[in-house]
Amino acid sequence: MVILVMATSVQSQGGLKAGFYSSSCPGAEAIVRSTVESHFKKDPTVAAGLLRLHFHDCFVQGCDGSVLIAGSSAERSALPNLGLRGFEVIDDAKTQLEASCPGVVSCADILALAARDSVDLSDGPSWQVPTGRRDGRVSSSQGLNLPSPLDSVTVQRQKFAAKGLDDHDLVTLVGAHTIGQTDCQFFRYRLYNFTTTGNADPSISQSFLAQLQTLCPKDGDGTKRVALDIDSQNKFDVSFFKNVRDGKGVLESDQRLWEDAATRNIVQNYAGTIRGLLGFRFDFEFPKAVIKMSSIEVKIGSDGEIRKICSKFN
């Protein structure tokens, strides 16, 4: 299903426009799509990795491909980014694009397109991606203000507001957790000694608590992967919101969305009670929120550069 966002709104996204490469590199979007698809067929969980990579890129210095730079002091070496994956998909697409249209398509745009394709391949919506971003020349592991699984709604709200994103954008974008996984180490504290009395987080439903404790024993492997949406890990749908409503959010930051009046209302709207009808609302709102996020502090015109290799500056 393709969600048509009004052309006028697409044109005004920070100087970006849909079809930016239509004459300079007509096959650009098809090359990215086929690359993502071939990796996705081998491992569907790469979709969530690519979507997260785009999100982390945009939240630090804007959507400028800074997260793709390799190096011990680069952004991707910062603690919150150590679990990022999907870099090889972007590199693969870039190699093919450089062969077809050298020096034309930015790594930042490849990432934005790959995020869209990942959602589409996971049975989610598709949308026209405004393109024309240029790649940044700075990537630092210092001073990242990325959302954390430990964040309260107040802190999440502050971090999103700093990027011009409101409560509606926050809940909608967190809905990306309908696909993807996390490690036991990022939520195990909720299962065993969350309270001072050594009990579990009371916001977790009892049946779900037993399920999570089986998946993540107290002294088990902290790096074991667990789906963020237990019901349909590889399907982009609204079951994540139903889980949050029912006390089945895996990350504390996700479950807290149910405890704040404003965010709870948005979760409730997406979770809905009528099958399909309200599910469509998320399919419509998610592309709008991503397009808004993907125009944060973008570099256009003569700013930045078009990298030849995504993991290093020219």
Side-chain angles (χ1 to χ4, degrees):
M1 173 171 54
V2 176
I3 306 295
L4 295 174
V5 179
M6 293 297 286
T8 48
S9 69
V10 171
Q11 295 292 336
S12 63
Q13 295 297 326
L16 306 176
K17 63 172 189 175
F20 181 84
Y21 299 108
S22 56
S23 55
S24 59
C25 188
E29 296 199 18
I31 288 171
V32 174
R33 168 73 187 209
S34 66
T35 307
V36 174
E37 202 162 352
S38 69
H39 286 266
F40 178 84
K41 280 177 178 161
K42 287 179 264 184
D43 175 15
T45 68
V46 79
L50 289 165
L51 187 52
R52 184 169 180 237
L53 206 47
H54 181 44
F55 180 91
H56 279 231
D57 184 33
C58 292
F59 253 70
V60 182
Q61 299 180 50
C63 317
D64 67 348
S66 53
V67 77
L68 302 171
I69 294 292
S72 57
S73 61
E75 202 175 299
R76 74 197 248 186
S77 297
L79 195 60
N81 284 336
L82 293 181
L84 291 179
R85 51 193 290 257
F87 295 102
E88 71 289 347
V89 183
I90 305 302
D91 292 339
D92 188 358
K94 181 62 171 170
T95 302
Q96 295 179 58
L97 285 164
E98 285 301 299
S100 299
C101 328
V104 174
V105 183
S106 69
C107 298
D109 275 345
I110 295 171
L111 196 42
L113 292 166
R116 183 268 311 269
D117 295 334
S118 294
V119 172
D120 184 31
L121 287 164
S122 304
D123 294 331
S126 186
W127 60 92
Q128 284 194 309
V129 177
T131 41
R133 296 166 194 78
R134 287 171 66 84
D135 297 321
R137 293 196 178 102
V138 176
S139 180
S140 169
S141 58
Q142 303 301 308
L144 280 62
N145 194 28
L146 285 159
S148 152
L150 305 173
D151 287 345
S152 65
V153 173
T154 304
V155 172
Q156 292 182 67
R157 186 176 274 135
Q158 287 165 349
K159 288 178 179 179
F160 276 74
K163 301 296 174 189
L165 301 167
D166 59 24
D167 280 2
H168 186 79
D169 301 318
L170 160 59
V171 176
T172 305
L173 290 167
V174 169
H177 287 170
T178 174
I179 55 175
Q181 306 164 300
T182 187
D183 293 3
C184 286
Q185 61 193 349
F186 296 124
F187 66 89
R188 191 161 51 189
Y189 67 94
R190 298 182 68 208
L191 311 182
Y192 300 101
N193 55 351
F194 184 79
T195 61
T196 48
T197 52
N199 294 324
D201 183 338
S203 66
I204 306 174
S205 87
Q206 280 305 302
S207 61
F208 191 54
L209 176 62
Q211 198 178 341
L212 288 179
Q213 286 175 332
T214 303
L215 288 168
C216 296
K218 195 168 189 175
D219 301 313
D221 179 5
T223 61
K224 184 180 176 189
R225 310 286 283 161
V226 173
L228 289 167
D229 176 358
I230 295 285
D231 296 329
S232 56
Q233 177 191 335
N234 294 324
K235 190 167 167 46
F236 200 93
D237 56 21
V238 295
S239 72
F240 168 78
F241 296 107
K242 297 178 195 288
N243 288 340
V244 169
R245 176 194 66 196
D246 299 338
K248 294 178 172 178
V250 176
L251 299 178
E252 185 183 353
S253 55
D254 290 349
Q255 191 55 50
R256 295 293 163 255
L257 296 175
W258 189 248
E259 290 163 21
D260 175 275
T263 54
R264 176 181 185 147
N265 191 35
I266 303 161
V267 171
Q268 180 68 67
N269 274 341
Y270 285 145
T273 47
I274 308 159
R275 290 195 61 176
L277 184 63
L278 295 180
F280 173 72
R281 184 180 292 168
F282 178 54
D283 270 1
F284 182 73
E285 296 296 334
F286 187 79
K288 291 201 293 184
V290 173
I291 289 170
K292 187 173 172 184
M293 178 196 77
S294 69
S295 62
I296 294 172
E297 301 161 35
V298 293
K299 293 157 184 67
I300 56 168
S302 57
D303 263 3
E305 62 185 18
I306 304 295
R307 278 181 223 145
K308 295 181 178 68
I309 296 169
C310 290
S311 57
K312 61 182 201 180
F313 304 121
N314 287 347

